[in-house]
Every structure is written in structure tokens, then in C-alpha cells.
Amino acid sequence: MDEKYSSNVLSSGKLGMVEVPNARLTRYIILLLISKVLKAVGIFESYDILKVVHIVQFIFILKLGSAVVLLFFQKPFSSGKAISKRQWIKLLKHSVLGCIISLLGFFGLTLCGPLRTLLLFEHSDVVVLALLAVLFTTSGGGPSKTRGAALFIIAVVCLLLFDNDDLMAKMAEHPEGHHDSALTHFLYTAIAFLGVADHKSKVESWSGLILPLALIVFSVMILEFYVEAVCAAKMEAPRCARYSTAALFLSALLLAHFWSHPFTDRLLSVRTPLHGHGGTEHVLSGGVVVSAVIFVLASSILSAPSRKGQKGTLVGYSPEGTPLYNFMGDALQHTSQSLPRFIKESLKQILEEYDSRQIFYFLCLNLAFTFVELFYGVWTNSLGLISDGFHMLFDCSALVLGLFAALMTRWKATKIYSYGYGRVEILSGFINGLFLMVIAFFVFVESVSRLFDPPNINTDMLTPVSVGGLLVNLVGICAFSHAHSHGAAKSCPSSDHGHSHNEHGHGHAHGGHGHAHGSHGHAHGGGGGGMNANMRGVFLHVLADTLGSVGVIISTLLINQFGWLIADPICSLFIAVLIFLSVIPLIKDACEVLVLRAPPEHEKELDHALAKVEKIDGVLSYRDAHFWRHSASMVAGTIHIQVMAEVLEQRVIQQVTSVLKDAGVNNLSVQVEKEAYFQHMSGLSSGFHEVLAMTQQMESVQCLKDGTCIM
Amino acid sequence: MHRKKQENDTYVLGTIHPFRRTHRSVLGRLSQELRLVTSDRRSWRILAFGALNLLCTGCLLMWCSSTNSMALTAYTYLTIFDLFSLVTSLISSWVGMKKSSQLYSFGFQRLEVLAVFSSTVLIQLGALFILKESVERFMDQPEVHTGRLLVGTSVALFFNLFTLLSVRNKPFSYVSEAASSSWLQEHVADLSRSVCGVLPGLSSVLLPRMNPFVLINLAGACALLLTYLLIEIHNFVAVDTASAVAIALMTFGTMYPMSLYSGKVLLQTTPSHVIGQLDKLLREVSTLEGVLEVRNEHFWTVGFGSLAGSAHVRIRRDANEQLVLAHVTNRLLPLVATLSVQIFKDDWSRPALLSGPLPHGGGAGDGHGHGHGHAHLSSSPLPPLLPDPLTSTPSKPLGPPPEFSFNTPRRPHSGLGLAYPAGPAAQGLRPGLLQGASAHSYRTAPLGFGTSHPPPQSQYRHYHP
């Protein structure tokens, strides 16, 4: 492939590594291409030979031949350093592993033909390393590598699914049989290798095989070894990998087309004695062509040099005007803690507090039930069970969201999250509410479509599953109703209660004193003011699931007893409406918090407090009073207060803060302004418009003074 | 539609002042707000498009059930998303007409953000649903009819592009530009860069950032076309499910950055692109005359783009509060539109101000001030102000506060102070002596505030606006 077609021209051509121009490398590239084409020919030849020669014998001959030639050329024992004992052990390991790999490779060759073996087996190490880096590390090297990995996987999937090779199809039909035979075959070969002679060899004359075997030894082993070594020395590894992969795959495609052609049969007279039992050739299908092309693309993208430098973040500009980057990303990744430790710490954090502990236990229970259901479904091959299991997993995502939010709420405030993470809880409650609305919508649509055309339902498995689900969800309701009833109880308009709650200010961990208000029950329409919205969302989710189970049980009973098929859609319709109605208060409250409405449960107190603020000594008026609930435990506010010139500002701040604190505002900033402030501001602001605005404000303050004087 | 309706009536409830709460029905209020919105000519267009969209979505949903194709369903959700975005732009025009009230003191700009957030989250939840259904379909692939597949695709694509390009959607265009680019955009940008390496003429078309909505519509249409071809030619029915998964993943990829951005706005976080600027301003503020430190700084975005914030500024005891307040506000106001700064002093109840200009009181008062502010005492970094005597820097008849002579370590953010000359400097006053003096004056000073009301103050106390 030409360099221009690689994925990032900019970096590799101009900014990245400097590559040697093509002209000087042409002969090496040509050599590489020729060796790869010869290798493809050799693999095809060996497929033919493997039809008559036993695989173990074949590999033995191959290894022996290459060993003799290499021993002759390289002289490992007489030249170079002496091999130490440790190196001998390494050598032994390497050779054993190499034997096993080549055994597996050639065994695969006998099973699925030369072309597919080449496509799957002959990838250079650069490509494989890049693929693994994309799949298993976070810094894969930009979007192009990700695309390459996706293409690679698509190619493999394409080869597996859309390649309707006859032999492969036969194998796919009987996977167990295939595995069995492979295993027995492998055992058999192992025994044959250890034992004495081969007794099943179909070879009549070994003399006819000498030439092809020599060709294979030469092309597959020796030539490739030397050419690769030379090219690796002269060119970069990625480029080498790109050319060799492209050449190998394309020549394999061509060979697969022409190999069984009668023309080549005549050309290669060697193959005529072996070609007696053709019949089950691996044909060239559309799927394999597509996947070969995708493989070529993927390996060319994956082996392209990556741009590591792009990872840095722009810090600023140097005095000369060149941009400065910060390459902290890679350094930070090395310091990240290990996975078991991370899991342990987050588990500890989860179990520390009441809410997250409840969610976690319930999540575990739910997951256990789901997996039992899934395994049983796979065991008994029941589709209904499996799909119900997936549905449960889908529901678990809401629980995971709630758990994560409950965990995040306790994180410390950072520079970006300057008020702390308490608001995450409300957002998570809102998302859970939206989730429930989506579920209600889908159930509604499904049941409406079933209302017109009630399907015949198989009710055998439904009852035990739904009873199990009901039990699990009842446990969940017991666990969460505590928090929920508390949240609802808080909305009760008793001023004493509202007041005392502000004194606590310890977040949503209402461990003990929830019981005092537990008797209020589930006041759904009460409007809890977004308090503990996360737990409310989770509770509603569990409630919806329970309703679903109850609905399934009732409709199953009705169908079994009376044969009313229409009972099922009516039940679902009813449930959808119930879910929808129960979720509206949650969404409404969360919305009010998110759009920074003044907290409804503090409305009256705030009005009184503002009236009180105006009566403080020296206070003329106030403006820009903003109060909003930030999180369950925090009501924030800002206010600007105009005072007279003689008053001490700090005194006013203290008084205003204490008055508003009584009204429930626990994060307040008070800006105290005197007339002097507006004069300063009008002096400082240079622009005409600002001066105008400021003088208007100043005049308003003076007007107020005048007005009061007249009064 | 019910979402919008519900949102509308939620907020209509809030806009009405508690003292003159009318007892009209939800529908009445809704119709009132609708009348308000439809008074604008542009919103008629949005409403017309919404009606068309409903029609189109209904048709597509019918075709989805008749073809039984998951991919077409996933694509139809993009049309539903278009409906959401139309509702969002309607809300945006409504927000533009509404003033802020006592309850919604920041105005209704956040409603736009909320609408963007909920529509992106809803469409992602829909994609999640598609994923779940696709997993179920992989196990038991039903038959898919291709009769209406191509028709549905072309209708949906044409309609979506028409809506996207003809209705100006302020909130979504802002978010799609401000949010980080999705993986789909990144891949397209990467690909088009390599294409431009071959054909440089295309660079003006391909190199600018692609609109994510147009991109996902085109990509989804491509996936559906591929599905149609493969089903028609090879009868690979499983391709339908695969392309549904692909469309769902693309939807996730496109919507996730936007919901992240708007969610961060809703979480009242400091937007990361202004952090550098804010840091610079705060550093400037902390080097101002008399400022000791800035703490409890909260800066966040109200709607898309407009910043709000509050900060507590601790100043020296002898600094002029109104002057410092004016300077701090002046620095921050260009960036932060809704700002409130609380000035506070330690030990303010000591009568340093009441007992006249007590020169040495300041030094003993701020125990942890550590000689920060005084570095600027000698030379005023502030520009010359109005001739008004209040505006100029506080006159210093006596030398700087005593701790200057002790050479205490500077605060890290007072780096600018290095440039200033040492000034008249060290007088060698003993702090212990000073503390005694100020403590003494505290005891003897008349406590004029709070307990007694001087006549000029009392006349203001009866004032009610």
C-alpha cells in the first residue's frame, strides 16, 4: 500500500517519524513482496501435501529441513558467544512452544483451508500488539487505531458469520462432534508422535514429495526468515508489517482463486498424483473476500505509526508564540492504583453509609436472581427466561446509577464542583425518573399494540419467575421504603420540623430520626423538594418492577382460569399508567431543584426572613436575592444589601446571615453596598454603558433615601 | 409531547406570585403560555414542523411494526429526537419572553439546559432499550421485510435533514459546538484528514467540524442502506440487528458529550474552559490592596454561557470595605455576570473604625495575614480614581503595619508584590505593645451599634419598599 493511503498522512509524513524515501528501499520492498508471495504459495502447497502426509511427519520434515539449512548457514555452535545454561532452558521453552504453535497452525490449515488460515494466523507482531493495546489499555493511540481494531474485529466476525464455506458450515452444524474429533485427532497425533511408525500413511512414493517439501521449507521457513531480518534492519517495523500483510493476503486471495483451476493443475505437475480426492475444496466466497480486504485495511491502519504527542493538553504559549503542551496523561496512568485495591476501597466506601449499603445489597440480590434466571434459561433453553433475565439486567442499570450517585455524593468538593457533589444525587434521581417514563412509554405502546392483537402466551414458566421477581422486589421495597417515607415525610408543612431539619445539615444519612416521621407513609404527591431524589428514584424503580410482577401474576391467573387473553395487555396498560403517575412528582421536584427555583418548603420562611432583613438597622433595601436548593443538605443563597454610610458592614452581614440561616439558607454570601460603592464603581468602570448603569443604580439608592426622608 | 406539557405546567405554577395565586386549571395556564409563545411568528414555524414531525413519526412507527426491522426503529428514534429538539427550541423562545420572578430568581434560562439534557438522556435511554431488544433478537432472529425499509429510511433522512437545516435551534447548536466532539465526529475528522491528504481540494468541505446531528443521520441512513442491500442480496437477516446495534451505539456516542456538558451545567460546576481565566482574575483580586485571601469561591453557569458566582474576600482590618468591594467587583464583573462578593474581616467587632483612625490596630488584628497586603501599601497598584476622597486609596498618615518589619514569609499568591519598592518600611514597632493598645481601646470604646439607635438611623427603620 502506498504511504498516502495510510490513515494519518500529516503525522507520518511531516510531523512524526521521518521515513526513508521509497526509492532507496524499492529493492527491499520487492524482495519482501516476492518472499511473501512465495510464502503464500508454500502454504497452499503444504495444504495439498497435508492431505496425504500426516501432520506430525510433515512438521517434523519441515523443522528438520529448515534446521539443517540454518545450521549450515548460521553456524550457531562455532560462531558467536557460548550459550549459557539459562539460555539453554529458554531455548528449550521457546522450541516447545514454537512446536505447539506450528502444530496448531498447520492443524488449522488442514481444517479450514490455506486462505482462511493465512487471514487469521499470519499477522505481524506489530499489528497484534496494536490491537491488544486498543482492546486492553485506555491509551490505544487515537481514533484511527480504534477504527483499525474495530475493522479487525469486523473482519473476524465476517469470516465467522458470512463466509458460507461448505466445510465450515458442516463444522458449524456439529460443533461438539467437531471438537471431539479434533481432540481425538490431537491425542492420536500425540500418540503417533510418541509411538512407533505411522500406519496410516497414504504416501506411495516419498520421492515425488521431495521437491514440494523442499519448496515449502525454502519459501515458508528460510527465505522468509532472511528477508524479514533484512527488511527489519532497513525499514521500520510498521512499514514492513504493512507491506508484508498486504502482499500475503492479496496473493493468498489470488492463489485461492487459481489454485484449483485446471490450468494450474497442468502447470504444476507435482500436484497431479495428489489431486485424486479433491471434492471438498475450500471455495472462495464473498464473505472471505470482503474479510480479506477488511483485514488488509485493518492491518495497514493498525501498523501505521501512532501519534503519541497529540495526547498532551495545551498549557499556554511560549514567549516566541509556539504552543506548549503538557504530557501528563501517560505519567498519570502509571500511578493509578491496582484494580483489586480500587474495588476494595470503593466497597468500603459503599458499605460505610446507609443508602449506598441498601442499594448495594439489593443490587447484589437482584443480580444473583438475574444470573440464576439466565443460567436456568440457558440450561433449559427457554427463550422467555433468558429475555426476562436481560430485562432484569436492564433494570439493574438504574440501580447501578443510583449506587454510583450515592457514592459520588460523598466526594469532596473540588475546584470544578465547588459546592461539592451533593447535586449528583438529584440529577441521578431525575435520570431515573426519565428512565421510568421511557419504560412506561414502551410498556404502554406494547400493550396498546397487543390490545388489538392479543398473542397467545405460554404461561408455564411465567408464574414461578414472576413470583421470584416479586419476592426480590418486595425485599427491595422493605429496604427502600424507609428512606422514601422519610423523604416524603419531610415535605409535611410543619414549620417546626422544617426548622429542625436545617440544623442537622448532615446530608441524606437520616439513619435514626426517620422513624419519628415514618407514620406519614408514602405521600406521593407531597413533593419532597428534591430531597433524597436518588433514593426516591430507586424506590420508584423497584416499585414499578413489583407492579410488573404483580401484573404478570394476575394476568396469568386470569388467563389460566378464564382464558381471557386480553387481561395481559389491560394489566400492562394499567401498570404503565401507574408508573407514569407515580414518577411525575419525582420529576417535578427534581426539575424545580435543577432550574434553581427557590425551595418551596422554605418559601414562607424566606419571605419572613427578607422582611426581617429590611428591618435591620441601617439597611435601606436589598436586591438580587437568589435562593436555591443545591443539594439535599444545602440551600444556597446570595443577596445584595444596600446600607447607609454610617453602618458597620460586618455587623449587617452577621445579622443578615443569622436571619437567613434561621430560614434554612446554609450557604450564603452577602454583598453589602453603600453609596460609596456605586461611586467607586462608576469611577472604575471605563465604559460608557457601565457608567450609565451604575449611575442609575446609585440614583435609585439616593432616591430611596430621599423617599424615606420625605416619609 | 406530554413531557413538554408537563414541564410547561410545572414552571407555570412557579411563575405566579404566591400572593396573587389564581386558581385556574392546568389547561388554562398551559393555553395562556401557548398564547404567549405563539404570539411570535417564528414559533409558528416550529409548531408547523412539530406537527409534520408527529405525522412522520407516526408513519415511521407503523412501517417499523410492518417491516419488523429493529434498525428502522432505531432510526425512527432519531426522528423522535428531532421532535424533542423542536420542543426545546420552543421552550427556548418561551424562555426568551419570560422575566425572572421571585421564585425563579435566575430566570428561566436553565430550563433550556434542562430541556437539552432531558432530550439527550431520553434518546440515550431509547438507544439502551434498542440494545436490550437487539440482544434478545440475536438469540431468536425474526424475519424482516424489506418492502418499506428503504422508503422509511429516505423519508426519515429527508425529513430530519430538512428540520435540522431549516429550523434554527439555538440551544442545541450552542451545545453541539461547546461540548467535546463525539467519537463519530472524531473518526470522521480523522478520515477526512487523510482524504484531504490525497485530495487537497476537499479541505474546505471536510476539514471543519461536522454537525453531529447531520452526521448521525447520514451514518444511520448508510447503515440502513447496507442492511437493505445485504438482506435483499444475501438474505442475511442478522444484519438488521447488527445495524440497529450500530445505530444505537452511534446515538450514544453523539448524545453522550452533549448530555455530559448540559449535565455539568445543571450540577452547577465551574466550566472548565473558564477556569484558567478565573484563576487569573482571582490571583489579581488577591493581590489587590488590602485583600488577604479569597475563599468559598463558587462560579457556575446559569444558562448556556452566562456565568454566576459568589466569593468571600477576607480583607485587612483597616482596609476600606467599599473600595475593595468595588475593585473586586470591577475585576470579576466582565466575566461573571451575576456576582456577589462578601467582604469579611477578622475581629471586626474591635472598634478600630469606631474609635477613629487607629493606625496600629490592623497589624495585631489579622493574626494570619502574614504580611501579604501590606506589600502594596506603599505604592498603590490601582489606577487613579475619581477626585472623590472616598475613592482614592485610604490615606496612610503613619507607616505600614508592624509585621512588615518582621519579614514574615509572603503568601504564595502575592507574587506581584515583589516588584514594589520596600517603601518607608521598618519602624520597628513592637507588636505586643500594639496588641495591648488595641485591646485596651476595644474595652473603652463606646458600643454605638445595635444597642442604641442614633436619630439619623431611626428614621430609616420605618421604610418599606
Side-chain angles (χ1 to χ4, degrees):
Chain A
M1 281 204 114
D2 198 17
E3 176 56 34
K4 272 181 184 164
Y5 296 103
S6 82
S7 62
N8 37 25
V9 179
L10 280 179
S11 65
S12 61
K14 286 155 196 156
L15 303 171
M17 304 186 231
V18 181
E19 292 195 350
V20 190
N22 279 345
R24 255 185 284 165
L25 293 174
T26 317
R27 48 191 156 149
Y28 296 109
I29 292 171
I30 289 175
L31 200 62
L32 187 70
L33 296 187
I34 290 173
S35 82
K36 289 296 167 185
V37 172
L38 277 180
K39 184 179 183 181
V41 173
I43 295 281
F44 272 80
E45 189 69 49
S46 49
Y47 173 67
D48 278 346
I49 289 180
L50 273 172
K51 282 177 189 160
V52 287
V53 182
H54 195 267
I55 180 170
V56 181
Q57 287 170 345
F58 175 78
I59 289 172
F60 178 72
I61 294 169
L62 212 62
K63 296 274 173 192
L64 186 72
S66 55
V68 165
V69 175
L70 285 178
L71 205 64
F72 182 70
F73 278 115
Q74 295 296 111
K75 304 185 184 65
F77 298 108
S78 54
S79 67
K81 277 188 277 183
I83 302 167
S84 68
K85 197 180 173 190
R86 187 171 294 170
Q87 278 173 326
W88 272 115
I89 295 172
K90 274 191 182 171
L91 269 178
L92 195 68
K93 278 183 197 165
H94 183 85
S95 53
V96 167
L97 277 179
C99 264
I100 291 173
I101 288 174
S102 52
L103 200 66
L104 286 176
F106 280 104
F107 186 59
L109 181 66
T110 60
L111 284 180
C112 55
L115 175 58
R116 286 145 186 106
T117 312
L118 274 176
L119 285 183
L120 285 176
F121 194 64
E122 296 290 333
H123 287 286
S124 70
D125 43 0
V126 181
V127 174
V128 175
L129 277 181
L131 178 71
L132 291 180
V134 170
L135 292 184
F136 296 108
T137 61
T138 46
S139 63
S144 66
K145 295 272 165 177
T146 317
R147 207 162 53 232
L151 276 180
F152 195 94
I153 292 168
I154 287 173
V156 172
V157 168
C158 193
L159 200 60
L160 287 178
L161 292 183
F162 300 117
D163 177 21
N164 39 10
D165 185 7
D166 287 340
L167 283 183
M168 302 265 285
K170 263 181 225 162
M171 277 173 226
E173 276 171 21
H174 308 286
E176 291 92 1
H178 159 67
H179 271 294
D180 275 344
S181 70
L183 209 64
T184 49
H185 191 79
F186 193 75
L187 280 176
Y188 162 70
T189 52
I191 290 164
F193 182 67
L194 291 172
V196 267
D198 73 299
H199 37 270
K200 271 193 184 170
S201 182
K202 296 159 233 165
V203 190
E204 291 89 27
S205 65
W206 282 90
S207 59
L209 286 176
I210 287 175
L211 194 64
L213 275 176
L215 178 72
I216 292 168
V217 166
F218 175 70
S219 63
V220 176
M221 295 289 185
I222 294 166
L223 184 69
E224 203 215 355
F225 175 75
Y226 279 112
V227 170
E228 286 248 317
V230 168
C231 288
K234 294 286 175 188
M235 294 193 284
E236 309 86 19
R239 200 178 201 194
C240 212
R242 222 169 341 166
Y243 288 134
S244 59
T245 320
L248 196 61
F249 290 171
L250 292 180
S251 59
L253 265 183
L254 284 178
L255 281 174
H257 185 62
F258 289 116
W259 197 251
S260 52
H261 204 267
F263 176 69
T264 44
D265 281 353
R266 244 180 294 132
L267 204 70
L268 294 168
S269 54
V270 200
R271 292 177 67 242
T272 38
L274 313 173
H275 208 64
H277 40 253
T280 56
E281 280 299 321
H282 296 277
V283 289
L284 199 63
S285 71
V288 82
V289 172
V290 169
S291 84
V293 171
I294 298 177
F295 265 125
V296 170
L297 268 179
S299 54
S300 84
I301 292 174
L302 279 176
S303 59
S306 67
R307 299 169 287 164
K308 276 281 177 191
Q310 299 288 318
K311 276 291 194 183
T313 50
L314 184 70
V315 187
Y317 292 92
S318 70
E320 292 83 42
T322 50
L324 298 172
Y325 291 98
N326 183 17
F327 297 99
M328 281 297 284
D330 285 340
L332 280 177
Q333 269 164 15
H334 293 299
T335 58
S336 65
Q337 51 191 346
S338 64
L339 192 66
R341 193 189 157 128
F342 174 74
I343 291 174
K344 201 176 146 195
E345 287 200 348
S346 43
L347 260 185
K348 198 178 139 209
Q349 275 188 351
I350 286 169
L351 294 183
E352 253 171 19
E353 232 173 89
Y354 181 78
D355 281 355
S356 51
R357 203 168 52 220
Q358 295 280 345
I359 301 179
F360 180 69
Y361 287 150
F362 184 63
L363 182 68
C364 285
L365 186 70
N366 224 331
L367 279 180
F369 183 73
T370 307
F371 279 109
V372 165
E373 204 175 42
L374 274 180
F375 276 120
Y376 195 70
V378 171
W379 187 265
T380 57
N381 211 3
S382 133
L383 267 182
L385 267 183
I386 295 176
S387 71
D388 194 67
F390 277 115
H391 182 80
M392 292 281 281
L393 270 185
F394 185 65
D395 282 344
C396 281
S397 57
L399 284 178
V400 170
L401 181 73
L403 181 66
F404 196 64
L407 200 63
M408 259 178 102
T409 308
R410 298 203 298 274
W411 288 0
K412 291 258 164 41
T414 61
K415 197 170 183 64
I416 289 182
Y417 291 79
S418 58
Y419 285 106
Y421 285 80
R423 217 173 158 83
V424 170
E425 205 177 54
I426 288 153
L427 202 67
S428 135
F430 182 68
I431 295 175
N432 257 335
L434 288 184
F435 200 164
L436 278 172
M437 278 174 86
V438 168
I439 287 177
F441 173 74
F442 280 120
V443 170
F444 187 83
V445 167
E446 186 72 27
S447 56
V448 165
S449 75
R450 283 194 182 184
L451 207 57
F452 296 112
D453 178 26
N456 211 348
I457 304 167
N458 181 16
T459 53
D460 295 342
M461 277 314 285
L462 279 177
T463 321
V465 169
S466 51
V467 166
L470 181 66
L471 285 180
V472 168
N473 284 321
L474 278 180
V475 171
I477 284 189
C478 290
F480 294 126
S481 62
H482 175 73
H484 178 251
S485 65
H486 182 61
K490 270 198 172 164
S491 65
C492 291
S494 73
S495 62
D496 185 20
H497 173 75
H499 187 95
S500 68
H501 138 76
N502 293 315
E503 301 294 326
H504 295 302
H506 59 258
H508 53 287
H510 310 289
H513 76 279
H515 290 289
H517 316 286
S519 57
H520 290 291
H522 309 298
H524 273 299
M531 261 177 287
N532 230 338
N534 186 28
M535 291 304 274
R536 272 174 77 193
V538 170
F539 174 78
L540 282 180
H541 215 99
V542 177
L543 194 71
D545 276 1
T546 317
L547 279 179
S549 308
V550 171
V552 167
I553 291 173
I554 291 175
S555 60
T556 312
L557 280 180
L558 285 179
I559 288 172
N560 279 349
Q561 293 293 317
F562 307 103
W564 293 343
L565 282 181
I566 207 152
D568 179 50
I570 287 179
C571 260
S572 331
L573 213 61
F574 189 62
I575 287 169
V577 171
L578 266 186
I579 293 175
F580 189 78
L581 288 181
S582 69
V583 95
I584 281 180
L586 171 67
I587 293 225
K588 181 170 159 282
D589 291 345
C591 273
E592 281 180 354
V593 176
L594 288 176
V595 295
L596 301 179
R597 186 193 194 272
E601 65 275 10
H602 296 304
E603 239 171 69
K604 268 184 195 151
E605 297 151 44
L606 282 174
D607 268 349
H608 292 313
L610 286 179
K612 247 190 249 174
V613 161
E614 282 187 334
K615 284 184 190 131
I616 294 174
D617 281 341
V619 170
L620 292 171
S621 68
Y622 66 88
R623 67 182 175 105
D624 288 353
H626 300 296
F627 300 103
W628 70 96
R629 175 174 288 285
H630 179 263
S631 63
S633 59
M634 188 196 289
V635 178
T638 62
I639 189 168
H640 293 204
I641 288 185
Q642 278 91 41
V643 298
M644 289 185 314
E646 307 84 22
V647 189
L648 203 61
E649 290 99 331
Q650 298 298 317
R651 185 87 192 164
V652 174
I653 287 178
Q654 199 192 34
Q655 284 168 336
V656 170
T657 310
S658 70
V659 165
L660 285 174
K661 196 160 193 134
D662 286 346
V665 184
N666 48 16
N667 186 325
L668 183 70
S669 58
V670 186
Q671 176 166 337
V672 181
E673 298 158 344
K674 292 180 181 172
E675 197 188 331
Y677 165 73
F678 295 107
Q679 284 169 355
H680 289 311
M681 281 309 284
S682 60
L684 281 169
S685 52
S686 49
F688 170 72
H689 291 288
E690 285 105 6
V691 172
L692 201 66
M694 278 299 161
T695 30
Q696 274 168 359
Q697 273 182 341
M698 197 166 76
E699 274 166 8
S700 71
V701 171
Q702 278 167 344
C703 272
L704 287 177
K705 248 188 212 168
D706 296 344
T708 50
C709 281
I710 292 164
M711 271 168 69
Chain B
M1 275 316 268
H2 50 250
R3 189 179 64 88
K4 174 209 142 200
K5 192 169 143 186
Q6 187 245 329
E7 270 178 6
N8 266 356
D9 57 44
T10 306
Y11 300 113
V12 173
L13 253 177
T15 54
I16 289 164
H17 200 273
F19 296 120
R20 45 182 180 81
R21 175 167 286 167
T22 49
H23 293 279
R24 267 186 301 171
S25 67
V26 173
L27 275 178
R29 273 187 237 120
L30 186 69
S31 71
Q32 184 202 359
E33 295 303 330
L34 259 181
R35 228 174 295 136
L36 183 67
V37 169
T38 49
S39 62
D40 192 4
R41 189 120 307 262
R42 275 167 300 180
S43 42
W44 275 107
R45 190 165 156 174
I46 298 173
L47 283 178
F49 267 102
L52 260 179
N53 196 319
L54 275 180
L55 197 74
C56 181
T57 310
C59 266
L60 278 172
L61 281 176
M62 255 158 54
W63 288 341
C64 282
S65 66
S66 76
T67 56
N68 198 18
S69 155
M70 206 71 219
L72 190 61
T73 315
Y75 200 61
T76 308
Y77 287 173
L78 290 179
T79 315
I80 296 179
F81 174 75
D82 260 0
L83 186 66
F84 288 156
S85 73
L86 285 177
V87 171
T88 306
S89 68
L90 207 61
I91 287 177
S92 155
S93 67
W94 178 75
V95 162
M97 289 177 227
K98 273 290 187 188
K99 295 251 167 48
S100 60
S101 67
Q102 193 198 5
L103 287 177
Y104 294 90
S105 53
F106 286 103
F108 291 86
Q109 288 166 345
R110 268 178 106 76
L111 201 55
E112 273 178 11
V113 187
L114 192 69
V116 167
F117 180 75
S118 31
S119 41
T120 49
V121 165
L122 277 175
I123 206 72
Q124 284 184 72
L125 289 173
L128 192 67
F129 210 80
I130 291 278
L131 279 184
K132 181 204 133 203
E133 292 274 309
S134 307
V135 169
E136 282 174 18
R137 276 200 175 200
F138 263 128
M139 292 181 299
D140 180 25
Q141 178 68 47
E143 195 63 25
V144 173
H145 310 286
T146 52
R148 292 274 163 75
L149 202 59
L150 221 50
V151 182
T153 310
S154 48
V155 165
L157 176 69
F158 173 74
F159 185 77
N160 283 352
L161 289 184
F162 188 52
T163 313
L164 275 174
L165 298 179
S166 55
V167 175
R168 203 176 134 271
N169 198 337
K170 193 163 62 80
F172 267 103
S173 60
Y174 180 87
V175 174
S176 63
E177 277 164 21
S180 61
S181 53
S182 64
W183 63 261
L184 200 63
Q185 275 174 303
E186 267 179 29
H187 281 275
V188 169
D190 200 61
L191 273 180
S192 54
R193 218 180 309 147
S194 356
V195 170
C196 288
V198 184
L199 300 168
L202 287 178
S203 58
S204 60
V205 186
L206 289 178
L207 281 191
R209 196 179 182 194
M210 296 281 270
N211 185 345
F213 306 112
V214 173
L215 204 61
I216 192 180
N217 275 313
L218 289 178
C222 284
L224 270 171
L225 191 67
L226 200 71
T227 311
Y228 174 77
L229 288 179
L230 281 175
I231 291 179
E232 278 290 294
I233 297 171
H234 288 295
N235 205 18
F236 290 148
V237 187
V239 176
D240 178 64
T241 315
S243 73
V245 170
I247 292 176
L249 288 181
M250 283 192 288
T251 312
F252 267 119
T254 307
M255 298 303 164
Y256 178 71
M258 281 182 242
S259 54
L260 194 70
Y261 182 84
S262 48
K264 276 194 168 173
V265 171
L266 289 180
L267 284 178
Q268 285 191 308
T269 58
T270 315
S272 49
H273 61 272
V274 295
I275 278 189
Q277 219 175 340
L278 264 178
D279 266 353
K280 188 167 153 275
L281 285 179
L282 287 179
R283 233 175 296 133
E284 271 178 35
V285 162
S286 64
T287 53
L288 279 177
E289 156 91 39
V291 174
L292 294 177
E293 62 172 341
V294 181
R295 45 162 101 144
N296 293 343
E297 63 267 30
H298 303 293
F299 294 101
W300 43 279
T301 36
V302 179
F304 286 127
S306 58
L307 229 64
S310 66
H312 291 194
V313 176
R314 195 163 72 87
I315 61 170
R316 268 203 335 270
R317 282 189 68 200
D318 57 348
N320 185 341
E321 289 188 21
Q322 295 303 314
L323 183 63
V324 172
L325 179 65
H327 277 286
V328 171
T329 314
N330 184 46
R331 289 289 155 93
L332 290 176
L333 210 56
L335 188 64
V336 187
T338 313
L339 178 72
S340 63
V341 177
Q342 177 169 343
I343 303 280
F344 72 102
K345 295 178 176 176
D346 288 330
D347 286 341
W348 57 270
S349 50
R350 294 191 188 182
L353 289 172
L354 286 181
S355 56
L358 192 73
H360 313 305
D366 39 33
H368 33 281
H370 288 319
H372 154 60
H374 58 265
H376 315 288
L377 264 180
S378 48
S379 69
S380 161
L382 308 175
L385 307 167
L386 283 186
D388 181 19
L390 275 171
T391 317
S392 61
T393 43
S395 58
K396 300 169 286 293
L398 294 165
E403 74 267 62
F404 189 76
S405 56
F406 288 103
N407 232 348
T408 42
R410 291 164 191 277
R411 296 182 64 82
H413 56 274
S414 66
L416 281 179
L418 287 170
Y420 298 120
Q427 297 191 350
L429 291 167
R430 311 254 317 256
L433 222 154
L434 280 169
Q435 197 151 17
S438 66
H440 175 71
S441 65
Y442 168 61
R443 277 188 216 106
T444 52
L447 293 169
F449 41 78
T451 48
S452 71
H453 305 294
Q457 283 190 9
S458 61
Q459 63 183 352
Y460 296 109
R461 290 188 60 229
H462 306 295
Y463 163 68
H464 292 287

